[in-house]
Amino acid sequence: METAKGKTREQSINKLADSIDRYEKYSHPHTHLMAELAALLARRLGLTQNDIRSITEAALLHDIGLQAMAPPYYLRDSPLTFEERMDLWRHPIIGEQQMAKHDATRHAQLLVRWHHEWWNGTGYPDMLAFEDIPIGARILRAVELYSALVSDRPYRAALDANKALETLKASAGVECDPYIVKALVALIEEMLAPVSEPEAATVEESPSIISEQPKLSASEPIDSSVTAETSGVESTLPPDSMIPEPNGPRAGIEAETSEPDQEQSIATPSGVSTIESTFVTSNLAQAEENASNESEPATESAPVTFESELMPEKIAETAVAEQAHPATEESRSPVELLLKRAKDFGEDEATWRGWGGSRYNRKLLLGFEASVLRQIEFRTIAMPFCASSRLDWYLKAWGKYISINDPRAWASMIARATVEAKEPLGEDTIVRILDDVYVPRARLANAELRRWFSETDAWWMDNLRHNIESLDDEVLRAQAIMLGIQTGDYALSFNEETRELRQPLTTVFWRLAGRAVAGHAGHLNNRAYNMPVEDFIKRSRVDLLYLNLPAAHAERAGEDARSDWRECWVQGRAVESADDLIKIAVVPQSKQSFLACVDRLLKAGLHIRQWAIEFQEIGIASASDIAEVIQEYRPVRATYSKDVTEVAGGLRNYIIVAEKVS
């Protein structure tokens, strides 16, 4: 495919990838290493060539949004402030927009958006969790972590090969999918293994692995993400639990930008949310220039020239020079060895097929939700189903009064921990709740835990719950329960095949507690409740009702599939299914019964001036069906949508905004 300047798409992408590496001051071709590892790993996992191409392109351009932002603090060697982290965390969404402008496939766009999603649901921008994260994004998360670890950064030196692998293994079950980590570790160890015969000491051009890209028509719609009567700015504020450990890679805290004027509007590239298209204004203009022109971005130090940019004659000269003074295998960095040997692993068979695929279920898109709420004027908000979407982190930062609820005890506890807590758990409190946590008592208080956990883990979780109850403060108990839920999810992330990567639960609990930061204090009267949904709505006296409708007939997977064990552990006894729909009424089995449930909830909120109704289209009812029910009571002011159907398990998400006529 020829570009306007006569370059092939392959050349343009590789040039842009090198430009991104130079901006981030990598001394080695970081993006090319990521792309090589991602492609090899995807092939071993049995993915198709089309999927591998999308994953490879997303790997090469994963930080295109970061370059577009060009935040002045990114390469600073001092710790970032909380506000800078909030700004920095927006880069995956900007990256999605930039990928559309470069005619990337919709699949590649979404992989760039989700390359910082964490296995345990504390990533960004959408806080996807477990199998809800597309396999391509899980691959990118693991290979980016490893590629950053073995590279020198302005704020730390590269880790040696062994330390990098140990750190990668420690990420399993928290940041990365354990199965993906195990497959990647096996691949890297195989690639770095000593060879019996000396390798030819020649410098080769970094592989150009983007090839044979399908041609995209300029008019071909990649995605119609958002349609609305109004457009606005998306602000991404992920929770503080995403903050990486002090010795972790800076890659764990990357990128977003300062907010432009909400009233300003810019052209929307095909396939990108209208509501997200005004995400960046002044910074984006400069970023576009940096990303597309041939000049190198300005840096304080001399720019790095990567092998992918060398002309053939220059490569030949370098090869002759190295033949005179051949590099020993011991002198090569892991990056150099991996790039050199990648071509030998190109025809691997698909030997790792045990990964969990994404299923069609309720995937809440936190970044999309927050972007819509930024368009609505309100001071107070009621959320009958908080689930774990964590919108409260945004709302606290915006100074809103929050009344939040969930009929499930575990979700209500998480809401209290995030809405009402003013500071993280102290060390003394953590020591207290972990006291004798491995020592069995007279009997297991909650024997139902054996349904999910091994005997040892069941005792650990049971003792932890017992110790948490000894805390007098309700908010402290909620914070401890939230950490306990995250630790239990960690334990359940491993099976016989990945068990070797597991760490002791006490160690993991301390790690998770060390990441927790209270963030913004929020309104003093913010409260979380555990009430029946209709009762909560009727009692709420707020400006805005944000109703996240449960999806009828959705398969319970990802985070939803963990709901039952969480409810059992928090309540301390056997419980019925913790599914949202059962807490409303009987699970609807038809379109008519589902719409009747929606109608009943809306009637309970007739006294609230504004509604924002979130809905995911899965077949039993359409967005127009929901809109018709809403219009029986008040006019619809705007309908927003975000389409992620291009990836397995992806649905079209809607938020319908309606306002009472005064």
Side-chain angles (χ1 to χ4, degrees), residues 408-630:
R408 298 165 300 181
W410 69 264
S412 176
M413 283 291 185
I414 290 179
R416 170 165 285 179
T418 56
V419 169
E420 299 184 24
K422 301 298 186 291
E423 58 184 20
L425 289 180
E427 184 175 331
D428 292 343
T429 302
I430 297 172
V431 170
R432 178 177 171 184
I433 60 180
L434 292 177
D435 183 44
D436 289 338
V437 74
Y438 276 114
V439 180
R441 289 174 287 124
R443 65 182 179 85
L444 198 64
N446 188 355
E448 286 294 312
L449 293 176
R450 291 193 179 102
R451 288 176 53 192
W452 299 281
F453 297 98
S454 67
E455 189 71 16
T456 301
D457 289 350
W459 273 109
W460 193 94
M461 295 297 299
D462 199 52
N463 286 336
L464 179 70
R465 188 71 184 89
H466 176 267
N467 292 348
I468 289 173
E469 283 304 304
S470 68
L471 300 176
D472 297 327
D473 187 275
E474 291 184 359
V475 176
L476 289 181
R477 286 203 300 270
Q479 290 176 274
I481 285 174
M482 181 175 69
L483 292 173
I485 287 172
Q486 292 176 350
T487 307
D489 284 339
Y490 173 88
L492 296 176
S493 293
F494 298 87
N495 55 28
E496 291 299 326
E497 200 167 0
T498 57
R499 184 177 300 278
E500 65 195 57
L501 298 173
R502 253 195 59 161
Q503 296 186 340
L505 297 188
T506 298
T507 300
V508 173
F509 190 96
W510 274 106
R511 283 179 61 196
L512 294 170
R515 281 200 187 93
V517 178
H520 292 277
H523 198 284
L524 290 176
N525 294 324
N526 288 344
R527 291 291 181 270
Y529 301 92
N530 178 220
M531 298 170 58
V533 174
E534 288 183 65
D535 291 347
F536 172 79
I537 295 175
K538 289 176 181 178
R539 296 183 185 185
S540 296
R541 297 294 180 267
V542 292
D543 300 329
L544 175 65
L545 171 66
Y546 188 86
L547 179 58
N548 186 347
L549 292 177
H553 280 323
E555 183 177 3
R556 299 181 68 210
E559 187 164 42
D560 276 352
R562 275 77 174 174
S563 188
D564 288 348
W565 91 257
R566 295 174 177 183
E567 192 74 3
C568 175
W569 181 70
V570 170
Q571 293 201 30
R573 59 183 177 82
V575 294
E576 294 181 1
S577 175
D579 196 304
D580 280 350
L581 290 172
I582 291 179
K583 296 294 184 178
I584 298 175
V586 178
V587 179
Q589 295 296 301
S590 67
K591 174 179 176 179
Q592 182 179 7
S593 59
F594 178 73
L595 294 178
C597 288
V598 175
D599 183 73
R600 191 170 69 250
L601 293 176
L602 294 180
K603 282 181 179 178
L606 286 175
H607 61 287
I608 301 176
R609 182 173 59 88
Q610 292 186 96
W611 295 343
I613 312 300
E614 182 172 2
F615 171 72
Q616 289 184 324
E617 209 168 54
I618 62 170
I620 195 171
S622 67
S624 60
D625 294 328
I626 302 297
E628 286 179 9
V629 177
I630 294 172

Side-chain angles (χ1 to χ4, degrees), residues 57-58 61 64 95-104 108-109 112:
E57 184 167 333
L61 303 181
I64 190 173
E96 178 193 8
Q97 298 170 2
Q98 289 293 297
M99 292 290 282
K101 291 184 177 182
H102 287 278
D103 293 328
Q109 293 173 35
V112 168

Side-chain angles (χ1 to χ4, degrees), residues 30 72 87 139 144 200 213 246 305 314 326 335 391 476 496 506 516 521 582 614 620:
H30 168 72
D87 182 58
I139 290 172
E144 183 182 22
Q213 292 292 332
T305 300
K314 182 64 177 177
V335 178
L391 267 172
L476 289 181
E496 291 299 326
T506 298
I582 291 179
E614 182 172 2
I620 195 171

Side-chain angles (χ1 to χ4, degrees), residues 144-164:
E144 183 182 22
L145 173 60
Y146 177 79
S147 299
L149 291 171
V150 295
S151 299
D152 286 323
R153 307 301 296 122
Y155 35 81
R156 63 154 175 80
L159 276 62
D160 64 45
N162 291 333
K163 179 63 175 175

